[in-house]
Amino acid sequence: MKIKLKQFFSLTALILLQTGGVNLPQAVLASPITEITISWQNAQTIRTLTGHSQSVGALAISPDGKTLVSGSDDTTIKVWNLETGNLLLTLTGHTDIILSLAISPNGQTIASSSLDGTVKLWNLQTGELIRTIKRDWLVKSIAYSPDGQKIAIGSWNKTRRKAEIEVWNSSTGEVIQSFSLSRESNLFVAFSPDGKTLGSANEDGTIKLWNMDTGESLPTLKQDNAVKAIAFSPDGKTLLSVSYTQTVKVWDLQTGTNLTPLKTLGVFLVNAVAFTPNNQMFASAIVDDDNTLGLWDLQTGKLLQIFTGYSNWVSSLAFTPNGQTLVSGNWDGTITIWQGK
């Protein structure tokens, strides 16, 4: 699969993003934007991984950035050395499409969910199956708490016909908290950096928040349509959200107000999205005729790069912890690794 990189240096030439050079609150940013921006202007594909026979819809990268885990519609999970591209393990046991993956903060455990209604925990080093938890619903998203002691799952309960969030003890699998949502499905869950707040991005355009100490529901945030992903700022004071139509919003979590809406490619749908760990940039895969992948500067509102040449849709995205490598899981079963210079 041949992939080309197009570089863009003029916002005027790209009327795809109508922001006028918006300045985001400094709380959103962890370090100066210039360093990462410059490195990505010289990005290139360093390798393409093959091994899955169907779409790669889930990705997770270990905290040290050395290991990549991929989940596919072919029901398998593969563990890769991200530095060499070598396949380390193939995990089998799920009987349907892999929906979500997460790696524990200590880098020792993989959590996976599948359309088969199970959540499985695996030893990252050996591939040994640690535990299987069966649910009568679809677990669409998984997230570890920063201390690794909890796992949050976002799911659609087929029996009750509504979305639910459960929080488990990661060691025992015991349910310690649960939250009910509307009849619209959950798409994404995330913990705040201090682990005290849990966020849920939902198909009805809402972002639900809970205080993890008290279980209390916090004020609901409202996006324009289905929310694809959310990310907390490093200091936990603001939240980024992106919808299917690529409207990115920055929320003040103390007041619940929308600080700055960033309108992007509103005419297209987003198939996958990923934020850099410091929330300086985000990548989005667009459902259009060109199967494009864009990289956006969240401080200036500029489209930094467009990656083209994909033979089909990009199904999933993930950045390494240092923000210097972007991985895409693709509809054709391949995995593409981009690296900044």
Side-chain angles (χ1 to χ4, degrees):
M1 179 175 61
K2 185 178 181 181
I3 297 178
K4 299 177 181 179
L5 169 65
K6 292 183 180 178
Q7 297 184 340
F8 294 88
F9 301 100
S10 171
L11 185 59
T12 304
L14 288 171
I15 312 299
L16 300 174
L17 182 56
Q18 302 292 337
T19 64
V22 177
N23 290 319
L24 297 186
Q26 288 302 306
V28 177
L29 306 176
S31 59
I33 192 74
T34 306
E35 180 180 350
I36 290 183
T37 301
I38 292 175
S39 70
W40 276 104
Q41 288 178 353
N42 298 295
Q44 62 181 4
T45 306
I46 59 172
R47 64 178 55 89
T48 297
L49 307 180
T50 59
H52 287 296
S53 60
Q54 297 181 46
S55 177
V56 180
L59 295 171
I61 296 175
S62 61
D64 63 7
K66 296 180 179 180
T67 305
L68 170 69
V69 181
S70 59
S72 172
D73 289 8
D74 65 14
T75 76
T76 67
I77 298 167
K78 293 185 181 293
V79 181
W80 312 81
N81 183 314
L82 192 52
E83 296 177 337
T84 65
N86 292 336
L87 178 62
L88 304 176
L89 298 167
T90 297
L91 311 181
T92 59
H94 284 298
T95 58
D96 212 324
I97 293 170
I98 308 300
L99 297 175
S100 183
L101 293 169
I103 298 177
S104 61
N106 64 9
Q108 296 180 5
T109 307
I110 303 167
S112 63
S113 72
S114 169
L115 199 59
D116 64 14
T118 65
V119 173
K120 294 181 182 292
L121 301 182
W122 314 79
N123 183 299
L124 178 62
Q125 301 300 321
T126 66
E128 176 187 1
L129 180 61
I130 301 171
R131 181 180 295 110
T132 297
I133 302 172
K134 177 68 176 176
R135 285 291 184 268
D136 185 30
W137 51 61
L138 304 179
V139 179
K140 292 190 173 183
S141 55
I142 299 178
Y144 272 95
S145 62
D147 62 8
Q149 296 181 11
K150 299 175 181 177
I151 300 175
I153 66 164
S155 61
W156 172 253
N157 190 314
K158 294 182 289 185
T159 301
R160 300 177 62 182
R161 304 293 297 172
K162 66 188 305 183
E164 295 184 350
I165 306 291
E166 284 189 345
V167 181
W168 300 344
N169 180 307
S170 61
S171 298
T172 65
E174 175 190 3
V175 177
I176 54 180
Q177 287 174 300
S178 61
F179 310 102
S180 293
L181 300 174
S182 69
R183 294 188 179 278
E184 295 290 340
S185 180
N186 162 267
L187 294 173
F188 193 89
V189 290
F191 282 96
S192 61
D194 60 8
K196 293 184 178 181
T197 304
L198 177 67
S200 166
N202 310 307
E203 281 187 351
D204 64 357
T206 61
I207 302 166
K208 299 286 188 179
L209 301 166
W210 293 274
N211 182 309
M212 294 304 294
D213 292 331
T214 65
E216 177 187 4
S217 177
L218 302 176
T220 298
L221 309 177
K222 181 67 176 177
Q223 190 88 340
D224 57 329
N225 55 40
V227 183
K228 183 67 176 178
I230 55 176
F232 288 88
S233 62
D235 63 8
K237 294 181 179 180
T238 56
L239 182 81
L240 296 175
S241 64
V242 61
S243 71
Y244 269 131
T245 53
Q246 279 208 132
T247 300
V248 179
K249 293 188 177 182
V250 183
W251 304 90
D252 184 323
L253 291 179
Q254 293 182 326
T255 64
T257 57
N258 176 23
L259 298 175
T260 308
L262 300 180
K263 286 282 187 179
T264 57
L265 294 174
V267 295
F268 296 118
L269 296 181
V270 178
N271 201 42
V273 65
F275 293 98
T276 52
N278 53 18
N279 295 342
Q280 292 181 351
M281 300 182 298
F282 80 98
S284 61
I286 313 302
V287 179
D288 65 0
D289 293 338
D290 297 325
N291 306 310
T292 53
L293 173 61
L295 186 66
W296 304 86
D297 183 327
L298 276 169
Q299 185 182 43
T300 65
K302 289 185 178 181
L303 179 60
L304 299 174
Q305 313 282 0
I306 280 189
F307 306 87
T308 64
Y310 286 93
S311 61
N312 213 310
W313 295 348
V314 173
S315 303
S316 54
L317 293 167
F319 279 99
T320 51
N322 64 9
Q324 297 298 308
T325 301
L326 174 63
V327 181
S328 71
N330 309 319
W331 188 267
D332 62 6
T334 62
I335 299 168
T336 307
I337 303 174
W338 294 92
Q339 194 168 74
K341 281 291 186 177

